[in-house]
Amino acid sequence: MSSPSATPTKGKRTRGSNPPTPWSEDALTPPSRRRRTDDASTSDLQPMPTSPVTDMRSPAVQDTSLFSSPAQSRHSAPLNEIDMSSPLTYGTPSSRVEVRQRPDLGSVRKARQVDLHSDHANGPEAPASEHSVGQKLVIWGTDVNVGTCKEKFQRFLQRFIDPSSTDDENAGLDLNEPLYMQKLEEINVVGDPVLNVNCEHLQSFDADLYRQLIAYPQEVIPTFDMAVNELFFERFPDSVIEHQIQVRPYNALKTRNMRNLNPEDIDQLITISGMVIRTSQLIPEMQEAFFRCQVCAFSTRVEVDRGRIAEPAVCRNCNTTHSMALIHNRSIFSDKQMIKLQESPEDMPAGQTPHTTVVYAHNDLVDKVQPGDRVNITGIYRAVPIRLNPRQSNVKSVYKTHIDAIHFRKTHEKRLHGLDEEAEEKLFTEERVRTLRELAAKPDVYERLSSALAPSIYEHEDIKKGILLQLFGGTRKDFSQTGRGGFRAEINILLCGDPGTSKSQLLQYVYNLVPRGQYTSGKGSSAVGLTAYVMKDPETRQLVLQTGALVLSDNGICCIDEFDKMSDSTRSVLHEVMEQQTLSIAKAGIICQLNARTSVLAAANPVESQWNPKKTTIENIQLPHTLLSRFDLIFLMLDPQDEAYDRRLAHHLVSLYYQSEEQLEEEFLDMAMLKDYVAYARSYIEPRLSEEASQALIKAYVDMRKIGSGRGMVSAYPRQLESLIRLAEAHAKVRFSDKVETIDVEEAKRLHREALKQSATDPRTGFVDISILTTGMSATARKRKEELAQALKRLIQSKGKVPTMKYQQLFDDLRAQSDVAITKDMFEEALQALTDEDYLTVTGKTVRLL
Amino acid sequence: FTQLFKWVNNCKYLNCVNCSPDWETKVLEYFKEKLKDNEAASWVPSLNDVPVHYLKANSLVKFRCFIQDMFDPEFYMGVYETVDPSSKSKVLRSGKYKDVAECGHQVDLNTKNAVTLERQTFYCVPIPGESPWVKEISFSYSCSNPARVVPSTSYAPCRHKRSYEEDEDMETQPHKQKEQLAGPQGTTDIHGSGDPKRLETEAPSSLSNAASGCSSPLDLNFPLPGEKGPACLVKVYEEWELFKVNDILEVYGILSVDPVLSVISEDKDSSLVDPMDCTESVEEQRVHCPPASLVPRLHMLYAHRLQHNNPLLPPAASEGQSSSGFLNDVVSVRGELLGYLTHVLLGDALAAEYLILHLISTVYARRDVLPLGKFTLNLSGCPHNSTYTEQLYRVIQQLIPSSFRLGMSLHNMNNLRLVPRKDYTANRLLSGVLQLAPNTSLFLDETQLEQGQLDSTGVRNITALGNLISWQKVDYDFNYHQMEFPCNINVLIASEGKSLLPCDCHVRLQPQLAPPNLEQYISTIQVSLSPSLLNKFRIYLSLLRTLDYSISEEVTKAVEDDFVEMRKDDPQSISAEDLHRLLVVARLLSLSVGHTTLSRDRWMRAKHLETLRTNRTEQQKCVNGNEP
């Protein structure tokens, strides 16, 4: 019915190219958007209720004469006539339900005054016959015909079915029934008179209606409201709801980055994402002023029109002039709140500071969001000119912009149906998905990705592979019904090794790669900094929970450098996090359990500054084995010290220093690609174990246990099996596969074995012994300790009934008797063991038998 | 000559007469063309040198500045229509390059011809830590223009000439002040005598007077404490995506100091405009609309990013003809500089060598998180409790275009704001000491650190310094999240023992002589240096940073062999990290003599230097026994 080109939907910013739309005599073409904007904006601005004459709008007044006439007629006209003449009235079949104004849309009544060109001899437009065919009537300045629009929307509500819906808002609804009718039923039951409409649905159903909604939200949304209410009360005539149903569209396609907003978007429906940084106090905004005559106490109500109150000069009852006084507490106010929204950090180009936008929330949207929340806001973008001085007619040539919020959607809010971690769904373009899929289809994708990881760090292929799997993570499983609680899906990795083997660099890289990574150093962080602490807000005196690194990296990776330097108390908080993935806090009256589903990537240096190959991992890094066993993979980063390696390393480093940036880029996948790949896999791929894979896992586990059992050692615990499962799942994710297959298990086994070989090899025997990690001591070491104690006991017994012995003497005797070298430590250990048996006591230099 | 003035003043009228639709592009091109000419550029008065109140409103000025913050984009009336109340005639006007719509007429907001456009505002301050000599030289450049018969170094004559013009136009400038400075009115040529030193000191003081005259001093948000100079709101009309925070720019633009702009803030207090209109808090108002007399607006016509702010080099730093001439005597300059620094470092030639390497180092690339080319130097063994570090800093400051000395005293560490922080009430980025332009030298004086307690701010500050040194990045604090800004800052740490901060290279100072009066000793050395030589040093240090560098296949092979060989003998002797350092040293060493490729000799020399250095630290360890 109109030329769609008149309201161009511009994706790209075209500065200074807002071509003045030709003012068409044809009433059916939308007149200039610009003009309407200014109309609306100046009227909203009106700061001074008095002195309405001398302001810059005065030229506008000439052509606003058309505003005044319906304003008068409104008071006199009988009700039904209003309904007829104004398409946007809120009168509905059931007028007993309170009609609530929608300040978020600006003054709706105002629209009524302007909209029907047919009512008034309105400039050049040809007056159409008033109650003629609906097709002819459009709202002034738009191409919206109320009747058709209403019809179309009702049709949409009644018919729209989206069987493939994955939207969490629709969870629990029957997908094969008209979606929005179910929602209306829900409203009837719950009584919350808000209907959220996904614009995507609308677009797929009726693109033209969608276009109108985006272009003229101020007119179209009230029309939708009307349509919904008619429909609703038709179906549920007895329903009691607080006020009329309000339609809240959200997800206006092209969710915009704040940076992309440009003058083209003014007065259009937009959705932008960002982070709330500040909320103002509640601002009461007058909707209806109450006047009472001081002479005869006659009272009257005046609606606030575009921010202005038309004070009645004469009392209609007693005809006294200037006797009407405003009674504040009988006037009607609505709530309003100013919210500052800042661009989310991910959207920002590097090296620039974030932009902010002002958002106004009205009525029940007030206090819906808190500073720090990540939200998607759908609303109408507005621009108003700034006046330099309210009393002067000067205008600064700059507009103030804000958004009138219609719908908030918290992006990080915990949602009901377990989809929470995917709430931050990154939007991938189809093209991107295709490239990612192509990449995933390559047979060597695993190798490719792992080599793309921190290319500046040389070799350590297995470690990179381990970290790659950590980035992907396993599949989250929920066993809470059986009482076991959640199963950890995150993979924890510990890197230990000589200083200067670029462990920190690896950590830094990972921290930079993942969206929700945290980087802390064990030396500098306290338990508080890692977990959470309670703080009193200086302004509100409220207790506020400030979260630390572990909670902040929920669903991310927490990189902890200098893990060994961490104090014991700090380390102890990790126990819970690393297995249960939660964090319990009981402080200052706040008792809570926070989610901390974070993977831990830690780096530790050996105690003796250089790795001692003669000692076990535990002895080298002096970490409690309880903590160590919670790491799925423990890698040693050692200087391999062989010539070929050295040569390759040297070549790698030298090339780093002379190759140009571009040359290096070509060689590897770039970081952005890797990031997207990981993000995509994390949100869309959930591999499950296949039958063969589970068999393979079982076999692998049994094999692992068998290795040790021959020598009386245990070389695997159920925890290792869990690790294997996680690793296999992660590997399946790398392949974008929904099924964990045997190859995944094979790789998991290999990697796990590699890590074990490095970290759990008993230096004395050369065998892999998992108990080094689980109990802190290898089985052989334990056995030998036992033997020594027995030998000592025998030695003492052989000496006959001597009550006391010299310590040194005994030590020498034992050494003479034994065929292996016995250190003083070992001797003392043996003595200690016997003391524990209550066989003897050691006092100073003498050993006394009991 | 006169044409030039006309041209400068033209821009005032530009906005009124906009007949053809493409006038903007034409005008811009015209200006860009004109400004390409270096001479012409020197005609444009600079905000850096001339106090704001001497500059005519709506005239073309330039400003050498540093982007401290970026404000939100603003929509303005690109084209609007005014109605003359008497004649009812309508005129179309352009809002470009202006803050305030034309007064005196009614503005018709509802016209269909109006166009809304978007522009971006940058908050710019003078380059932080700019050395006095840079200011002096660029100042003298801007005033000595070739067309003049008497090569005057003072801006008084130029000023005077310009103010003459102003008088004809309108009386906007404070007369008295102008006369005070310009002296008795006369012909322009008399004033060749005005010495720049005097004016230099006077100009900022008059500015600070203006600031103190204001009822509430405004925090101009300079990154470094004690900085002076004008801050400026630069309005950018196109391609603002190309600019980044912490860039240094030379902006050519139209100065706007309309007093009406300042009225807003005052008015806010008196008449409380209804709260709905107040989308900004008072603090925000103050920051975003400061009085124009303090923070002038500059409507950018044209800007280019500076690679360095050394006025002795052409701004484009095209390593073309000009530099190649210089490269010929690079070796001799290097020799002189080495001698000079050796004297300054009390006869320690090795330390002087390393200092040169440090001064020409720059981050030339990044491999994922790893910055390449940084060379943080730790000079240990600086005498405690003496002014030596201060003297040393002075010497460096004289050589380097921008630098800052941070005394790492406990007090400073616990109280200074090193990392910039976003202030959400005022909606701006509160600057911190570490918000510095690329290639700024940061001199950390660790000798000032005593034993004591670091509080949480202190720990954070130390961590920030550590991050800066290791990764060449600063995590700006945005309260709800941190944002990483890569930087390129040369950090030099002067300490007694080995520094507590990580550093690439540690040199123990071994003074060969112990002059009884350090201060006197250094100042004698400084005085004995001829200005021309000093300038050569300055060019040398700035120029060598911009050179490209490569390693040939052959040398690569040799280096690899060498590394393998060294490891064979003793794996402990050289680690990957050592090789990293060795490569950087070799690179800087080659560059320092003007070679852009690595040769075997240089490689051996680099190894030799490193051996000397490590031996020295080893030695020190033996002497002290327990030096970490």
Side-chain angles (χ1 to χ4, degrees), chain A residues 16 38 60 285 336 340 342 348 351-352 356 360 388 397 399 456 512 643 647 651 657 664, chain B residues 72 75-77 109-110 117 243 245 260 276 279 284 368-369 483-484 560-561 564 568:
Chain A
D38 287 339
E285 190 182 33
K336 181 171 174 179
K340 275 255 158 118
Q342 182 184 276
M348 239 176 317
Q352 307 220 338
T356 54
Y360 283 117
L388 287 179
S397 60
Y399 295 98
S456 65
N512 279 300
E643 195 181 318
R647 181 168 299 280
H651 181 76
Y657 277 84
L664 289 166
Chain B
D72 294 334
F75 292 175
Y76 67 101
M77 295 187 264
L109 289 165
N110 299 328
L117 294 175
F243 299 106
V245 170
V260 191
M276 330 209 0
T279 53
E284 202 171 332
D368 38 78
V369 289
M483 219 158 67
E484 188 181 300
E560 284 169 32
D561 289 341
V564 173
K568 216 185 253 171

Short mmCIF file of all heavy atoms in Angstrom, two decimals, chain A residues 16 38 60 285 336 340 342 348 351-352 356 360 388 397 399 456 512 643 647 651 657 664, chain B residues 72 75-77 109-110 117 243 245 260 276 279 284 368-369 483-484 560-561 564 568:
data_model
loop_
_atom_site.label_atom_id
_atom_site.label_comp_id
_atom_site.label_asym_id
_atom_site.label_seq_id
_atom_site.Cartn_x
_atom_site.Cartn_y
_atom_site.Cartn_z
N GLY A 16 24.98 11.51 6.99
CA GLY A 16 24.58 12.68 6.23
C GLY A 16 23.79 12.34 5.00
O GLY A 16 23.71 13.12 4.07
N ASP A 38 10.57 15.39 15.02
CA ASP A 38 10.70 16.65 15.73
C ASP A 38 9.44 16.97 16.49
O ASP A 38 9.46 17.50 17.59
CB ASP A 38 11.01 17.77 14.74
CG ASP A 38 12.44 17.63 14.27
OD1 ASP A 38 13.21 16.99 14.99
OD2 ASP A 38 12.75 18.13 13.21
N ALA A 60 6.27 25.78 15.02
CA ALA A 60 5.53 24.53 14.89
C ALA A 60 4.08 24.72 15.28
O ALA A 60 3.19 24.01 14.80
CB ALA A 60 6.15 23.45 15.75
N GLU A 285 6.50 10.71 37.15
CA GLU A 285 6.16 11.54 36.01
C GLU A 285 4.66 11.73 36.01
O GLU A 285 3.89 10.77 36.06
CB GLU A 285 6.60 10.83 34.73
CG GLU A 285 6.50 11.72 33.52
CD GLU A 285 6.89 10.97 32.27
OE1 GLU A 285 6.65 9.75 32.19
OE2 GLU A 285 7.45 11.60 31.38
N LYS A 336 9.11 6.20 36.46
CA LYS A 336 10.06 6.32 35.36
C LYS A 336 11.44 6.17 35.96
O LYS A 336 11.68 6.57 37.10
CB LYS A 336 9.89 7.69 34.73
CG LYS A 336 10.79 7.94 33.56
CD LYS A 336 10.37 9.24 32.91
CE LYS A 336 11.33 9.62 31.82
NZ LYS A 336 10.91 10.85 31.16
N LYS A 340 21.44 3.73 32.59
CA LYS A 340 22.57 3.91 31.67
C LYS A 340 23.02 2.55 31.19
O LYS A 340 23.25 1.65 31.99
CB LYS A 340 23.71 4.60 32.41
CG LYS A 340 23.57 6.09 32.42
CD LYS A 340 24.55 6.69 31.44
CE LYS A 340 24.08 8.04 31.02
NZ LYS A 340 25.01 9.08 31.40
N GLN A 342 25.72 0.40 28.92
CA GLN A 342 27.03 0.47 28.27
C GLN A 342 27.20 -0.72 27.35
O GLN A 342 26.76 -1.82 27.66
CB GLN A 342 28.12 0.49 29.32
CG GLN A 342 29.50 0.62 28.74
CD GLN A 342 30.57 0.55 29.80
OE1 GLN A 342 30.91 1.52 30.45
NE2 GLN A 342 31.10 -0.64 30.01
N MET A 348 33.04 -4.40 21.60
CA MET A 348 33.83 -3.20 21.41
C MET A 348 35.03 -3.46 20.52
O MET A 348 35.73 -4.44 20.68
CB MET A 348 34.31 -2.75 22.76
CG MET A 348 33.87 -1.39 23.09
SD MET A 348 34.38 -0.99 24.70
CE MET A 348 34.03 -2.45 25.58
N GLY A 351 40.85 -0.95 21.51
CA GLY A 351 41.45 0.37 21.58
C GLY A 351 40.46 1.50 21.66
O GLY A 351 40.83 2.64 21.52
N GLN A 352 39.19 1.21 21.83
CA GLN A 352 38.24 2.29 21.98
C GLN A 352 37.53 2.13 23.30
O GLN A 352 37.52 1.07 23.88
CB GLN A 352 37.21 2.24 20.86
CG GLN A 352 37.87 2.20 19.50
CD GLN A 352 37.17 3.05 18.47
OE1 GLN A 352 36.00 3.37 18.59
NE2 GLN A 352 37.90 3.43 17.46
N THR A 356 27.93 4.64 25.78
CA THR A 356 26.81 4.47 26.70
C THR A 356 25.56 5.08 26.07
O THR A 356 25.65 5.94 25.22
CB THR A 356 27.05 5.16 28.05
OG1 THR A 356 27.36 6.52 27.80
CG2 THR A 356 28.17 4.51 28.81
N TYR A 360 15.15 4.85 29.23
CA TYR A 360 14.12 5.13 30.23
C TYR A 360 13.23 3.90 30.37
O TYR A 360 12.74 3.35 29.38
CB TYR A 360 13.26 6.32 29.81
CG TYR A 360 13.94 7.64 30.03
CD1 TYR A 360 14.24 8.48 28.98
CD2 TYR A 360 14.29 8.03 31.32
CE1 TYR A 360 14.88 9.69 29.21
CE2 TYR A 360 14.93 9.22 31.54
CZ TYR A 360 15.22 10.05 30.48
OH TYR A 360 15.85 11.24 30.72
N LEU A 388 19.79 25.38 25.18
CA LEU A 388 20.87 25.92 25.99
C LEU A 388 20.31 26.49 27.26
O LEU A 388 20.85 26.33 28.33
CB LEU A 388 21.59 27.01 25.22
CG LEU A 388 22.46 26.47 24.10
CD1 LEU A 388 23.12 27.61 23.38
CD2 LEU A 388 23.49 25.52 24.68
N SER A 397 22.99 22.72 18.69
CA SER A 397 22.68 21.97 17.48
C SER A 397 22.86 20.48 17.68
O SER A 397 23.18 19.75 16.78
CB SER A 397 23.56 22.46 16.34
OG SER A 397 24.90 22.27 16.67
N TYR A 399 21.42 16.82 19.49
CA TYR A 399 20.27 16.14 20.07
C TYR A 399 20.72 15.26 21.22
O TYR A 399 21.82 14.74 21.21
CB TYR A 399 19.60 15.24 19.04
CG TYR A 399 18.97 15.97 17.89
CD1 TYR A 399 19.63 16.09 16.69
CD2 TYR A 399 17.71 16.52 18.03
CE1 TYR A 399 19.05 16.76 15.63
CE2 TYR A 399 17.13 17.19 16.97
CZ TYR A 399 17.80 17.31 15.78
OH TYR A 399 17.21 17.95 14.74
N SER A 456 52.89 -19.04 19.35
CA SER A 456 54.21 -18.52 19.70
C SER A 456 54.91 -19.42 20.71
O SER A 456 56.09 -19.28 20.96
CB SER A 456 54.09 -17.11 20.25
OG SER A 456 53.39 -17.13 21.45
N ASN A 512 43.20 -14.87 27.38
CA ASN A 512 42.78 -13.96 26.33
C ASN A 512 41.82 -14.59 25.35
O ASN A 512 41.10 -13.91 24.65
CB ASN A 512 43.99 -13.44 25.57
CG ASN A 512 44.66 -12.31 26.31
OD1 ASN A 512 44.04 -11.29 26.55
ND2 ASN A 512 45.89 -12.51 26.69
N GLU A 643 69.16 -32.24 21.08
CA GLU A 643 69.65 -31.33 20.06
C GLU A 643 68.58 -30.98 19.03
O GLU A 643 68.39 -29.81 18.69
CB GLU A 643 70.87 -31.95 19.37
CG GLU A 643 71.62 -30.94 18.57
CD GLU A 643 72.81 -31.59 17.88
OE1 GLU A 643 73.47 -32.41 18.53
OE2 GLU A 643 73.05 -31.27 16.72
N ARG A 647 67.20 -27.29 18.11
CA ARG A 647 67.29 -26.67 16.78
C ARG A 647 65.93 -26.14 16.34
O ARG A 647 65.80 -25.01 15.90
CB ARG A 647 67.81 -27.70 15.77
CG ARG A 647 67.96 -27.14 14.38
CD ARG A 647 68.73 -28.10 13.52
NE ARG A 647 70.07 -28.35 14.03
CZ ARG A 647 71.10 -27.52 13.84
NH1 ARG A 647 70.93 -26.40 13.17
NH2 ARG A 647 72.28 -27.80 14.31
N HIS A 651 64.87 -22.26 15.71
CA HIS A 651 64.30 -21.81 14.45
C HIS A 651 62.98 -21.09 14.69
O HIS A 651 62.71 -20.02 14.14
CB HIS A 651 64.10 -23.00 13.52
CG HIS A 651 63.54 -22.60 12.20
ND1 HIS A 651 64.31 -22.01 11.24
CD2 HIS A 651 62.28 -22.65 11.70
CE1 HIS A 651 63.57 -21.74 10.19
NE2 HIS A 651 62.33 -22.11 10.44
N TYR A 657 61.11 -13.43 15.24
CA TYR A 657 61.67 -12.10 15.29
C TYR A 657 61.86 -11.46 13.94
O TYR A 657 62.19 -10.31 13.86
CB TYR A 657 62.99 -12.11 16.08
CG TYR A 657 62.71 -12.03 17.55
CD1 TYR A 657 62.40 -13.16 18.28
CD2 TYR A 657 62.67 -10.80 18.18
CE1 TYR A 657 62.10 -13.08 19.61
CE2 TYR A 657 62.36 -10.71 19.52
CZ TYR A 657 62.08 -11.85 20.24
OH TYR A 657 61.75 -11.75 21.55
N LEU A 664 52.99 -14.78 9.36
CA LEU A 664 52.66 -15.69 10.44
C LEU A 664 51.18 -15.98 10.48
O LEU A 664 50.77 -17.09 10.79
CB LEU A 664 53.11 -15.07 11.77
CG LEU A 664 54.62 -15.05 11.93
CD1 LEU A 664 55.01 -14.14 13.07
CD2 LEU A 664 55.15 -16.44 12.19
N ASP B 72 30.34 9.59 24.01
CA ASP B 72 29.35 8.96 23.14
C ASP B 72 29.17 9.78 21.88
O ASP B 72 29.35 10.98 21.88
CB ASP B 72 28.02 8.87 23.88
CG ASP B 72 28.11 7.94 25.05
OD1 ASP B 72 28.96 7.04 25.00
OD2 ASP B 72 27.37 8.12 26.02
N PHE B 75 24.17 13.18 18.03
CA PHE B 75 23.42 13.52 16.83
C PHE B 75 23.26 15.02 16.81
O PHE B 75 22.91 15.62 17.82
CB PHE B 75 22.04 12.86 16.84
CG PHE B 75 22.09 11.36 16.73
CD1 PHE B 75 20.93 10.62 16.83
CD2 PHE B 75 23.28 10.70 16.53
CE1 PHE B 75 20.96 9.25 16.73
CE2 PHE B 75 23.32 9.32 16.42
CZ PHE B 75 22.16 8.60 16.53
N TYR B 76 23.49 15.61 15.70
CA TYR B 76 23.32 17.06 15.64
C TYR B 76 22.56 17.40 14.37
O TYR B 76 22.37 16.56 13.50
CB TYR B 76 24.66 17.75 15.67
CG TYR B 76 25.51 17.49 14.45
CD1 TYR B 76 25.61 18.44 13.44
CD2 TYR B 76 26.20 16.30 14.32
CE1 TYR B 76 26.37 18.19 12.31
CE2 TYR B 76 26.97 16.05 13.19
CZ TYR B 76 27.04 16.99 12.19
OH TYR B 76 27.78 16.74 11.07
N MET B 77 22.14 18.66 14.32
CA MET B 77 21.38 19.07 13.17
C MET B 77 22.35 19.32 12.04
O MET B 77 23.07 20.32 12.02
CB MET B 77 20.62 20.34 13.51
CG MET B 77 19.58 20.11 14.59
SD MET B 77 18.56 21.55 14.83
CE MET B 77 19.38 22.29 16.20
N LEU B 109 12.33 23.57 13.53
CA LEU B 109 12.77 22.19 13.73
C LEU B 109 11.97 21.22 12.89
O LEU B 109 12.30 20.07 12.78
CB LEU B 109 12.63 21.82 15.19
CG LEU B 109 13.65 22.50 16.09
CD1 LEU B 109 13.23 22.36 17.52
CD2 LEU B 109 15.01 21.88 15.88
N ASN B 110 10.89 21.73 12.36
CA ASN B 110 9.99 20.77 11.73
C ASN B 110 10.11 20.74 10.23
O ASN B 110 9.31 20.12 9.56
CB ASN B 110 8.55 21.12 12.11
CG ASN B 110 8.37 21.02 13.59
OD1 ASN B 110 9.03 20.20 14.22
ND2 ASN B 110 7.54 21.86 14.14
N LEU B 117 22.64 14.38 11.61
CA LEU B 117 23.89 13.70 11.35
C LEU B 117 24.53 13.30 12.67
O LEU B 117 24.09 13.71 13.74
CB LEU B 117 24.84 14.61 10.57
CG LEU B 117 24.39 14.97 9.16
CD1 LEU B 117 25.34 15.95 8.55
CD2 LEU B 117 24.32 13.71 8.31
N PHE B 243 40.44 6.05 14.87
CA PHE B 243 41.23 6.55 15.98
C PHE B 243 41.04 5.65 17.19
O PHE B 243 40.00 5.05 17.37
CB PHE B 243 40.83 7.98 16.32
CG PHE B 243 41.04 8.92 15.19
CD1 PHE B 243 39.97 9.40 14.46
CD2 PHE B 243 42.32 9.30 14.83
CE1 PHE B 243 40.17 10.26 13.39
CE2 PHE B 243 42.52 10.17 13.76
CZ PHE B 243 41.46 10.64 13.04
N VAL B 245 41.92 5.16 21.53
CA VAL B 245 42.34 5.80 22.76
C VAL B 245 43.86 5.66 22.86
O VAL B 245 44.42 4.63 22.48
CB VAL B 245 41.64 5.12 23.96
CG1 VAL B 245 42.22 5.60 25.26
CG2 VAL B 245 40.16 5.40 23.92
N VAL B 260 28.32 30.65 25.11
CA VAL B 260 27.00 30.06 25.39
C VAL B 260 27.15 28.64 25.92
O VAL B 260 26.37 28.17 26.72
CB VAL B 260 26.16 30.03 24.10
CG1 VAL B 260 24.73 29.69 24.44
CG2 VAL B 260 26.25 31.34 23.38
N MET B 276 13.05 15.26 34.21
CA MET B 276 12.99 14.38 33.06
C MET B 276 14.03 14.77 32.01
O MET B 276 14.46 13.97 31.23
CB MET B 276 11.64 14.50 32.39
CG MET B 276 10.56 14.85 33.32
SD MET B 276 9.07 14.20 32.72
CE MET B 276 9.67 13.44 31.25
N THR B 279 19.04 14.09 31.86
CA THR B 279 19.50 12.73 31.69
C THR B 279 20.90 12.58 32.24
O THR B 279 21.40 11.50 32.41
CB THR B 279 19.52 12.36 30.20
OG1 THR B 279 20.28 13.36 29.53
CG2 THR B 279 18.14 12.29 29.65
N GLU B 284 28.29 14.67 35.42
CA GLU B 284 28.44 14.35 34.02
C GLU B 284 28.39 15.63 33.19
O GLU B 284 29.16 15.80 32.25
CB GLU B 284 27.31 13.41 33.62
CG GLU B 284 27.65 12.62 32.40
CD GLU B 284 26.63 11.55 32.13
OE1 GLU B 284 26.01 11.07 33.07
OE2 GLU B 284 26.47 11.21 30.96
N ASP B 368 50.32 -13.39 19.17
CA ASP B 368 49.21 -13.54 20.11
C ASP B 368 49.39 -12.68 21.35
O ASP B 368 49.23 -11.48 21.26
CB ASP B 368 48.86 -15.02 20.41
CG ASP B 368 50.04 -15.95 20.51
OD1 ASP B 368 50.68 -15.93 21.55
OD2 ASP B 368 50.31 -16.65 19.52
N VAL B 369 49.75 -13.22 22.48
CA VAL B 369 49.83 -12.33 23.64
C VAL B 369 51.23 -11.76 23.83
O VAL B 369 51.44 -10.90 24.66
CB VAL B 369 49.40 -13.05 24.94
CG1 VAL B 369 47.92 -13.28 24.92
CG2 VAL B 369 50.15 -14.34 25.13
N MET B 483 39.20 -4.03 30.80
CA MET B 483 39.44 -4.04 29.37
C MET B 483 40.92 -3.83 29.12
O MET B 483 41.55 -3.01 29.75
CB MET B 483 38.63 -2.95 28.70
CG MET B 483 38.10 -3.43 27.43
SD MET B 483 36.71 -2.50 26.91
CE MET B 483 37.44 -0.95 26.60
N GLU B 484 41.40 -4.60 28.19
CA GLU B 484 42.82 -4.62 28.00
C GLU B 484 43.19 -3.62 26.91
O GLU B 484 42.63 -3.62 25.83
CB GLU B 484 43.16 -6.03 27.55
CG GLU B 484 44.59 -6.32 27.46
CD GLU B 484 44.76 -7.75 26.97
OE1 GLU B 484 44.28 -8.65 27.66
OE2 GLU B 484 45.35 -7.93 25.90
N GLU B 560 70.79 -20.54 14.86
CA GLU B 560 70.27 -21.82 15.32
C GLU B 560 71.40 -22.75 15.74
O GLU B 560 71.37 -23.35 16.82
CB GLU B 560 69.43 -22.48 14.22
CG GLU B 560 68.07 -21.86 14.05
CD GLU B 560 67.38 -22.33 12.79
OE1 GLU B 560 67.61 -23.50 12.40
OE2 GLU B 560 66.64 -21.55 12.20
N ASP B 561 72.39 -22.81 14.85
CA ASP B 561 73.53 -23.68 15.16
C ASP B 561 74.17 -23.28 16.47
O ASP B 561 74.52 -24.11 17.31
CB ASP B 561 74.57 -23.60 14.04
CG ASP B 561 74.06 -24.28 12.78
OD1 ASP B 561 73.12 -25.09 12.92
OD2 ASP B 561 74.56 -23.98 11.69
N VAL B 564 72.14 -24.38 19.43
CA VAL B 564 72.25 -25.82 19.67
C VAL B 564 73.62 -26.13 20.28
O VAL B 564 73.74 -26.92 21.23
CB VAL B 564 72.04 -26.59 18.35
CG1 VAL B 564 72.32 -28.06 18.55
CG2 VAL B 564 70.65 -26.36 17.84
N LYS B 568 74.47 -27.75 23.88
CA LYS B 568 75.16 -29.04 23.94
C LYS B 568 76.16 -29.03 25.09
O LYS B 568 76.26 -29.99 25.85
CB LYS B 568 75.85 -29.29 22.61
CG LYS B 568 75.83 -30.75 22.20
CD LYS B 568 76.62 -30.95 20.94
CE LYS B 568 75.77 -31.20 19.74
NZ LYS B 568 76.52 -31.17 18.49
#
